[in-house]
Amino acid sequence: MSRLQADADPARWVPVTGSLGFKGRRHRKAAIRMLMDRANAALGASARPASGFAAWAVSQAAPLLMRKADGRVLVWVWKDDPELLVAMAQLQQATPQLRAARASMPMEYDDTESFPNPYLGVGEKLAMTLPADDKTPPFLSYTWDTGTHFVTLTAVCSDRTRVGTVVSEVDHLARSLRVVGDVTLGSSPDVLRLDPK
């Protein structure tokens, strides 16, 4: 089965994927609270008194859900300020429906630039550091089409004035993304894991 790997700098990023229980709990909760606040703002809703509990509950469930995704989803938060930046990588099968959905995205999503990755080839980068709508948080999106799958990395920033300070680190994370897979050896249950070249 194919899964994602990346070389996230531990001095910059805290992985949410695989961090169960108290490990990474503070970072998970802060990142989820930021995303929920941004979603509420985009919908025109105000923060609710119970939103802190909701962020805590989701932060407890998130690692289990990502473990169930079995390497197809990786999530990191910014170590120095978890509420500033959240990055999520996904591996999705390139179905006709997904290709159609990507082709019908709004026109502003066409403003991409080429972005090379040593493992995935040349993909696309979309930098929306100052979205026209004030309710939309700044974000960076990277996409590679492997033919059978889409590999995407999306980083959402909560602060328009600070997004420029983290772009290079998100670029570095995006360049380290790769797809790895398992190969079963004959009829035996042994598995050979192949890293990309």
Side-chain angles (χ1 to χ4, degrees):
M1 177 197 261
S2 296
R3 62 178 60 81
L4 290 172
Q5 280 188 1
D7 300 322
D9 182 354
R12 298 277 187 256
W13 301 98
V14 174
V16 175
T17 314
S19 63
L20 295 172
F22 288 108
K23 183 181 177 186
R25 179 177 61 89
R26 180 178 67 85
H27 287 83
R28 285 197 311 269
K29 183 179 174 184
I32 290 167
R33 185 171 52 241
M34 182 271 278
L35 292 174
M36 291 173 73
D37 288 347
R38 294 283 108 194
N40 282 337
L43 297 172
S46 58
R48 300 186 178 118
S51 63
F53 174 76
W56 174 84
V58 174
S59 76
Q60 298 306 301
L64 296 173
L65 294 173
M66 284 183 280
R67 180 175 280 185
K68 189 174 181 181
D70 195 22
R72 295 185 307 274
V73 177
L74 301 176
V75 179
W76 303 268
V77 297
W78 192 242
K79 186 172 186 176
D80 291 339
D81 186 355
E83 293 191 36
L84 175 67
L85 184 65
V86 179
M88 180 173 73
Q90 287 182 284
L91 178 66
Q92 298 173 289
Q93 188 172 0
T95 63
Q97 294 83 0
L98 185 56
R99 288 189 182 280
R102 290 185 57 78
S104 60
M105 291 175 81
M107 189 181 304
E108 57 265 26
Y109 287 79
D110 291 337
D111 192 17
T112 61
E113 59 185 82
S114 295
F115 187 85
N117 174 303
Y119 309 103
L120 300 171
V122 178
E124 296 178 340
K125 172 184 174 180
L126 174 66
M128 298 287 279
T129 54
L130 289 172
D133 181 359
D134 288 342
K135 295 178 180 177
T136 303
F139 69 90
L140 302 163
S141 179
Y142 308 76
T143 306
W144 295 268
D145 184 349
T146 68
T148 57
H149 291 82
F150 284 115
V151 177
T152 59
L153 174 69
T154 304
V156 179
C157 184
S158 64
D159 189 340
R160 287 177 173 235
T161 64
R162 296 172 61 194
V163 65
T165 65
V166 296
V167 170
S168 63
E169 291 296 335
V170 180
D171 283 351
H172 180 73
L173 179 64
R175 285 190 188 93
S176 75
L177 268 177
R178 55 199 179 272
V179 178
V180 298
D182 295 338
V183 176
T184 304
L185 302 176
S187 58
S188 79
D190 295 330
V191 171
L192 172 66
R193 182 155 293 162
L194 298 176
D195 286 329
K197 292 182 180 179

